[in-house]
Amino acid sequence: MKKKALLLASMGVLACTVGVTALVVGGANQLDAFAIEANPTGHSFTFNAATGSQFESMPGRQDVNVTTGVSDPIHTTVAPESMELFFGQSGRFVGAEPTLGQCDYSLMIGINNLTHFEIDMGVENDVDTEDEYSITLLDGDRNQVGYWHSSFELDGDGNGTANLEWDKGPTDGTVVEVNVSLYSMDDSPDTNLYIESLSLTWNC
């Protein structure tokens, strides 16, 4: 009986798991409960101009395991459609210029247990129409935890910016993926759709 009790007492708790494990140890007439709690660790990272050096400025799709310095790499997919992308230029994470007609690009970021999200983005030289953006936060079952879709509000020169911020609420599911898409609608080659920075905070 004592050997079994020592074996139970030596069990550990897996990383990135929140929970309480009760270990029951004792003799024939007595039970003692010991609780071990694993607390998640908070991390934050920002995709900015410096992060752009981990990507290639090119028109094609690319998959990058972004080095954060605070956690395991963040798997990120960039998928442009009829656009040429420029990373780490003009103090921005990424910018894009249309190459023909209606075009767009998207970022798909894998992240576990997102608790805070913020993005600063914009458009320059939007001459024909108001270009659009959409952002989706997904849980492990592909359900939407957050969704935004709108056009940039432009000034007289065809420039506009947008800032979005989200904090996890008590009833929100566990976000494991962030999707960001920007759309150009029949603009000139001088139009620039850009993401200045994109910040993530998560618990794992």
Side-chain angles (χ1 to χ4, degrees):
M1 185 67 176
K2 289 183 179 180
K3 289 182 179 179
K4 290 182 180 179
L6 289 172
L7 179 61
L8 286 172
S10 66
M11 292 176 63
V13 179
L14 294 176
C16 291
T17 301
V18 183
V20 176
T21 302
L23 302 180
V24 179
V25 183
N29 300 320
Q30 176 177 319
L31 293 176
D32 295 319
F34 297 88
I36 298 176
E37 183 175 357
N39 292 317
T41 301
H43 301 286
S44 295
F45 182 75
T46 299
F47 289 75
N48 54 23
T51 313
S53 64
Q54 299 187 48
F55 294 78
E56 293 185 50
S57 294
M58 57 183 245
R61 176 188 173 110
Q62 55 183 305
D63 293 282
V64 178
N65 289 321
V66 176
T67 301
T68 68
V70 297
S71 70
D72 292 338
I74 298 175
H75 186 76
T76 304
T77 298
V78 181
E81 183 67 35
S82 301
M83 275 190 166
E84 187 169 0
L85 302 183
F86 305 92
F87 290 90
Q89 298 184 14
S90 303
R92 297 167 177 160
F93 168 56
V94 61
E97 296 178 356
T99 54
L100 52 91
Q102 181 174 334
C103 39
D104 62 82
Y105 70 98
S106 60
L107 299 175
M108 290 158 280
I109 303 170
I111 197 77
N112 186 36
N113 197 18
L114 186 72
T115 59
H116 178 80
F117 169 84
E118 184 171 6
I119 186 169
D120 287 297
M121 54 193 167
V123 61
E124 295 174 324
N125 304 316
D126 187 0
V127 296
D128 292 327
T129 186
E130 294 184 4
D131 292 343
E132 300 177 352
Y133 59 84
S134 68
I135 297 173
T136 309
L137 308 180
L138 298 173
D139 66 16
D141 294 321
R142 311 297 295 173
N143 298 315
Q144 291 183 0
V145 178
Y147 177 74
W148 301 264
H149 178 251
S150 186
S151 299
F152 291 101
E153 295 184 10
L154 304 177
D155 62 16
D157 297 320
N159 303 323
T161 60
N163 169 271
L164 288 174
E165 193 168 357
W166 172 87
D167 285 293
K168 183 176 182 178
T171 61
D172 289 333
T174 300
V175 174
V176 299
E177 184 176 321
V178 176
N179 291 331
V180 179
S181 296
L182 288 87
Y183 309 90
S184 177
M185 314 289 283
D186 299 320
D187 278 318
S188 76
D190 294 327
T191 301
N192 178 23
L193 278 168
Y194 63 87
I195 298 173
E196 184 168 343
S197 63
L198 187 158
S199 297
L200 308 172
T201 301
W202 67 98
N203 281 339
C204 184

